[in-house]
Amino acid sequence: MHAERLTPTNLKYPYVLNRIGVQLPSIAIIGAQWGDEGKGKITDYLSEEADIIVRSQGGNNAGHTIIIDNETFKLHLLPSGILREGKLAVIGNGVVMSMADMIEEMKQITDTGRSLDGLRISDRAHLVLGYHKRLDGGEEIYRGSKTIGTTKKGIGPAYQDKAARNGFRVCDLFDDVSEKIAFNLRFKKDLLKLFQNGECGCTEESIAEKFKLWKDVFGKYVCDTSVLLNEALDDGKTLLFEGAQGVMLDIDHGTYPYVTSSNTTAGGICTGSGIAPNRIGKVYGCLKAYTTRVGDGPMVTELHGTEGKYLMEKGGEYGVTTGRGRRCGWLDLVVAEHSVRLCGIASLALTKLDVLNGYRKINVCVGYEIDGRTEKHFPASLSKVSRASPVYKEFDGWDEFGPSEEAAKRGYDALPKNMRAYIEFIEKYLKVPAELISIGPKRSETIDKRAERM
Ligand code: IMP
């Protein structure tokens, strides 16, 4: 079957397109693997079509690289819309915010002469404080050989506080919360003693001072972002929800416990930004042409030794947030099916295909062999996953095709035949069209097939 034969109405998740190829009222970009799929670039590419760019979950554990006119930005908390004049960049209630780190990140933007006027922060977002970071490190030490490999940004402990109803929210900056500060400080100091990860250097006074500073710095950006977003939708504005991490790191559907502490699936957008499910339009799944993962936990298609190292170097697979080398392996369509099903992915943004240029043979995993049976769906039990061997379909590779910018200009049909066969197999397997083909980090290194499909 040719990709062209898939139309908006005969897909797994059919959708209706408007004039500019977007299903109103909003679009979402979700990482379909373990994060680091290239969502930053795709968000930036699609943000031209949106009025408001929204983050709904996670915190500065995320790292999005965006290249604009040869300037490289590494964003962790700020939605990438902040780089586009005239757009709003919204941090939703589901995000956990380290305001101390955010101040640094804001400087990166203002240093280039850009304005932060478009920033909006939910009054319901939770705060990440210094003791959360220390606890993150302490919990990892306490786990001994069973670490999760967190980013140590305090994300898990901040979400723990949220669920335990001890967290500080942005709106607390405007209230007298001295009793709550005293309680939390006592509690965290006791926990840190247990984890033996040093002292929490802060005092009640130093936290109150920080809250005052943050109120002064961030006050003008704070509002009820659910009201803002829903009114914008009522006014016919287009929203773009920028996912952080990836489906396999989702607290409910990922490789638990080797996950992050938020819902990275499309459902997390509703709870994390205060919009209803029927207001999410088309969901894009960002899928890297091979698999990577940072941190611990299972990865069935992982390539070990020199093969893995080669792919890591070729793809420049080092974490934006931690600098750690990412584990690399072949594309896993069992993982991709999990993501398509959970998020209603209607369109794929296939990224980093150029990294596979020059390979003689390329494998794609189409099932897991577990205890003599072939599984097509990602199992819940990690002991089952650890017994899985990948069932591969082998593809012939393709040669280098020269500068990606020129290849993108030549268009899809001029891509190497074997590369197109690889792409079309993925589309057919997942029943989802690859509408954006990314063959380099720049915007100009993208083949946009959406126009063909309207
Ligand atoms: P945490 O989110 O820092 O608690 O880390 C939990 C797991 O999620 C670890 O394996 C991290 O490496 C992973 N993780 C968190 N954020 C990202 C991301 O943005 N990209 C890739 N992996 C991430």
Side-chain angles (χ1 to χ4, degrees):
M1 193 211 279
H2 286 288
E4 284 73 17
R5 289 198 205 137
L6 289 173
T7 68
T9 49
N10 70 0
L11 305 171
K12 192 170 172 75
Y13 297 104
Y15 58 90
V16 180
L17 299 174
N18 73 358
R19 219 164 15 89
I20 57 163
V22 179
Q23 185 194 8
L24 288 178
S26 58
I27 55 179
I29 300 166
I30 298 284
Q33 290 150 313
W34 276 279
D36 310 313
E37 298 91 352
K39 292 183 294 297
K41 170 191 163 165
I42 300 299
T43 304
D44 177 58
Y45 185 84
L46 290 174
S47 65
E48 223 157 52
E49 294 159 15
D51 302 297
I52 307 181
I53 291 86
V54 190
R55 276 274 309 264
S56 329
Q57 45 74 223
N60 62 335
N61 48 349
H64 289 171
T65 306
I66 296 150
I67 302 174
I68 299 179
D69 302 333
N70 295 323
E71 263 184 304
T72 301
F73 296 88
K74 292 187 187 295
L75 301 181
H76 299 279
L77 255 169
L78 284 168
S80 53
I82 202 73
L83 299 169
R84 304 263 156 220
E85 226 185 302
K87 309 218 183 255
L88 291 187
V90 174
I91 296 184
N93 58 280
V95 173
V96 287
M97 273 194 73
S98 162
M99 293 201 148
D101 294 332
M102 176 92 161
I103 289 175
E104 294 296 309
E105 206 172 316
M106 284 157 70
K107 200 170 164 305
Q108 195 196 151
I109 305 295
T110 49
D111 280 355
T112 64
R114 287 178 169 82
S115 135
L116 292 165
D117 288 351
L119 180 62
R120 299 289 181 277
I121 299 170
S122 167
D123 47 7
R124 290 176 169 85
H126 277 247
L127 301 184
V128 180
L129 300 183
Y131 54 64
H132 290 127
K133 293 184 189 173
R134 208 166 260 283
L135 285 167
D136 200 351
E139 281 185 32
E140 284 285 78
I141 295 168
Y142 202 77
R143 286 187 185 107
S145 62
K146 299 275 180 214
T147 55
I148 288 170
T150 75
T151 57
K152 301 207 175 71
K153 298 287 178 189
I155 305 301
Y159 277 117
Q160 281 172 31
D161 263 357
K162 177 176 176 174
R165 293 147 295 178
N166 290 328
F168 288 103
R169 297 185 298 164
V170 170
C171 57
D172 289 334
L173 299 177
F174 304 88
D175 276 333
D176 176 8
V177 285
S178 42
E179 265 183 43
K180 196 166 161 186
I181 292 177
F183 164 79
N184 264 298
L185 208 53
R186 221 172 43 243
F187 187 24
K188 300 314 188 269
K189 284 193 170 179
D190 284 347
L191 275 178
L192 280 169
K193 263 186 224 142
L194 174 72
F195 292 148
Q196 298 179 345
N197 192 33
E199 287 282 309
C200 164
C202 40
T203 60
E204 287 175 41
E205 292 71 33
S206 70
I207 294 181
E209 252 168 55
K210 272 197 190 132
F211 280 18
K212 189 179 167 316
L213 169 77
W214 295 339
K215 179 182 153 187
D216 293 343
V217 174
F218 294 100
K220 62 180 170 195
Y221 305 117
V222 174
C223 66
D224 184 332
T225 49
S226 166
V227 172
L228 174 93
L229 296 177
N230 281 284
E231 286 182 355
L233 285 167
D234 296 342
D235 289 344
K237 298 260 172 26
T238 301
L239 311 191
L240 187 156
F241 293 96
E242 169 180 359
Q245 291 85 45
V247 170
M248 300 311 285
L249 291 171
D250 183 276
I251 182 98
D252 284 283
H253 299 285
T255 44
Y256 191 89
Y258 299 101
V259 291
T260 191
S261 301
S262 63
N263 282 116
T264 57
T265 37
I269 293 171
C270 296
T271 51
S273 63
I275 62 140
N278 59 359
R279 303 205 95 171
I280 301 183
K282 181 173 176 182
V283 179
Y284 284 84
C286 199
L287 186 72
K288 184 146 62 180
Y290 51 95
T291 306
T292 60
R293 158 158 223 183
V294 216
D296 301 318
M299 178 175 155
V300 175
T301 61
E302 182 165 7
L303 290 168
H304 298 279
T306 49
E307 273 190 297
K309 183 100 181 110
Y310 177 75
L311 192 49
M312 183 169 97
E313 295 297 339
K314 196 152 189 269
E317 295 294 352
Y318 293 92
V320 178
T321 303
T322 59
R324 288 181 288 183
R326 299 177 184 139
R327 297 153 65 192
C328 295
W330 297 120
L331 179 64
D332 186 340
L333 291 182
V334 177
V335 163
E337 185 279 330
H338 194 64
S339 301
V340 166
R341 173 168 34 84
L342 289 166
C343 300
I345 290 171
S347 175
L348 294 172
L350 276 185
T351 58
K352 297 191 94 164
L353 274 151
D354 54 304
V355 173
L356 296 182
N357 291 357
Y359 268 90
R360 210 169 56 78
K361 296 282 178 196
I362 294 166
N363 283 318
V364 175
C365 175
V366 291
Y368 292 169
E369 196 77 44
I370 306 173
D371 305 333
R373 289 181 46 166
T374 304
E375 300 275 354
K376 292 287 187 185
H377 300 297
F378 198 92
S381 152
L382 290 200
S383 84
K384 249 181 131 177
V385 179
S386 69
R387 296 198 299 281
S389 348
V391 179
Y392 282 128
K393 179 169 167 60
E394 192 183 72
F395 287 81
D396 288 329
W398 54 87
D399 293 332
E400 298 283 345
F401 49 66
S404 287
E405 203 159 346
E406 283 162 36
K409 275 194 204 129
R410 288 194 295 270
Y412 181 77
D413 291 336
L415 288 175
K417 185 167 132 281
N418 289 346
M419 189 185 203
R420 281 182 284 127
Y422 184 71
I423 295 169
E424 285 160 27
F425 177 80
I426 297 167
E427 292 181 307
K428 190 177 163 194
Y429 185 96
L430 297 172
K431 295 200 188 74
V432 181
E435 292 185 322
L436 298 175
I437 313 279
S438 172
I439 49 176
K442 295 193 204 140
R443 287 176 140 225
S444 52
E445 293 166 329
T446 314
I447 298 174
D448 191 335
K449 294 179 73 195
R450 289 174 301 166
E452 282 175 28
R453 299 170 33 73
M454 290 169 66

